[in-house]
Amino acid sequence: MRLLLIGAPGSGKGTQAERLADHFGLTHISSGDLLRRHVEEGSKLGQAVQRYVSRGDLVPDTLVMDALRKPVVAASESGGYILDGFPRTVEQAELARATAKELGVDAQVAVHLDVPREELIRRLLARGRGSDDTEDVINHRLEVYDQHTVPMLDYYAQRAELVRVDGSRSPDEVTKELITELEKVQRSLTL
Ligand code: AP5
Ligand code: MG
């Protein structure tokens, strides 16, 4: 199975993606984790993306695609992927679809983890990840989400590939519902 996990900063994408990867035998690929790893390693790509990530701005599409291409193709060849944090804009969704279709690795389902704003802020402030979990940067990341990613939900909804899950409950409850929903999708894919 090849799936996209969409959600605001702090919605639990990383937390749930790891569990789903275990359950369904998929490779978890987080665009944010990949970009942060490049920054830590000081690679050329890392140097190019550092200022965007620390400010909570979107990294330019070509750089994100460069980081993702290889891992996505490799995962598709070994059981499928769960892509967390990509795509994030309508443009990325269109670009990803065109590129992935050509390679035969396009996503089959998109899941939206829906969580109210106050809960997102509470979780992110409690976590305090590096330079992008300060109050100002959190607020900016949430604005970027509203402006660029929320319109992308429509893009998938119109194609009937979108499953919405209430992500505000406990991690175990959210996992349980995700597994139920994705098992339905999996059955429909094998029909
Ligand atoms: P990214 O790393 O994707 O960050 P994000 O979207 O802001 O999301 P987070 O990783 O902060 O949250 P999450 O949804 O994974 O939640 P988590 O499970 O950690 O992106 C970072 C940056 O990289 C971007 O700002 C951008 O610069 C760049 N970037 C990435 N992708 C890009 C793209 N496609 N295009 C351009 N730029 C891109 O949970 C959060 C906290 O809540 C944790 O402490 C967790 O333990 C807790 N928690 C989780 N679930 C629950 C629950 N159910 N109840 C209570 N607490 C919970
Ligand atoms: Mg994450």
Side-chain angles (χ1 to χ4, degrees):
M1 188 159 48
R2 299 184 298 274
L3 72 100
L4 307 175
L5 196 50
I6 305 164
S11 56
K13 298 184 296 295
T15 305
Q16 297 300 330
E18 279 188 25
R19 297 170 175 210
L20 295 174
D22 261 3
H23 183 87
F24 290 100
L26 307 172
T27 305
H28 170 208
I29 303 170
S30 156
S31 52
D33 289 350
L34 269 176
L35 294 169
R36 280 186 291 279
R37 204 170 311 139
H38 277 284
V39 171
E40 269 164 36
E41 288 166 358
S43 71
K44 215 170 156 203
L45 182 65
Q47 289 171 28
V49 304
Q50 198 267 338
R51 64 196 167 110
Y52 298 99
V53 175
S54 64
R55 287 197 303 239
D57 281 327
L58 291 175
V59 168
D61 294 348
T62 47
L63 298 177
V64 181
M65 301 282 283
D66 284 348
L68 287 174
R69 196 169 289 111
K70 260 196 203 160
V72 166
V73 171
S76 301
E77 286 165 0
S78 61
Y81 60 74
I82 172 159
L83 200 40
D84 139 15
F86 178 90
R88 257 173 147 90
T89 65
V90 173
E91 292 75 21
Q92 282 186 3
E94 285 169 345
L95 201 61
R97 177 166 306 222
T99 313
K101 263 214 169 113
E102 234 170 71
L103 299 166
V105 301
D106 52 324
Q108 296 153 313
V109 58
V111 179
H112 173 209
L113 263 185
D114 202 4
V115 178
R117 180 64 40 113
E118 317 75 70
E119 172 67 5
L120 297 170
I121 295 172
R122 194 190 64 71
R123 289 183 191 176
L124 292 171
L125 286 174
R127 181 183 62 185
R129 174 181 74 195
S131 64
D132 76 345
D133 273 353
T134 62
E135 201 168 347
D136 283 352
V137 180
I138 289 171
N139 282 326
H140 182 59
R141 283 158 62 204
L142 291 169
E143 279 167 19
V144 168
Y145 177 78
D146 285 342
Q147 196 183 340
H148 295 282
T149 311
V150 170
M152 188 188 74
L153 292 170
D154 261 353
Y155 174 90
Y156 288 108
Q158 280 164 16
R159 285 162 183 76
E161 292 162 15
L162 192 69
V163 178
R164 182 196 162 273
V165 167
D166 173 5
S168 67
R169 294 161 300 166
S170 74
D172 287 351
E173 285 172 302
V174 177
T175 307
K176 199 166 159 233
E177 188 181 341
L178 282 167
I179 288 176
T180 306
E181 290 300 323
L182 289 169
E183 281 177 346
K184 282 188 218 160
V185 171
Q186 206 174 32
R187 277 196 295 277
S188 74
L189 290 173
T190 52
L191 281 180

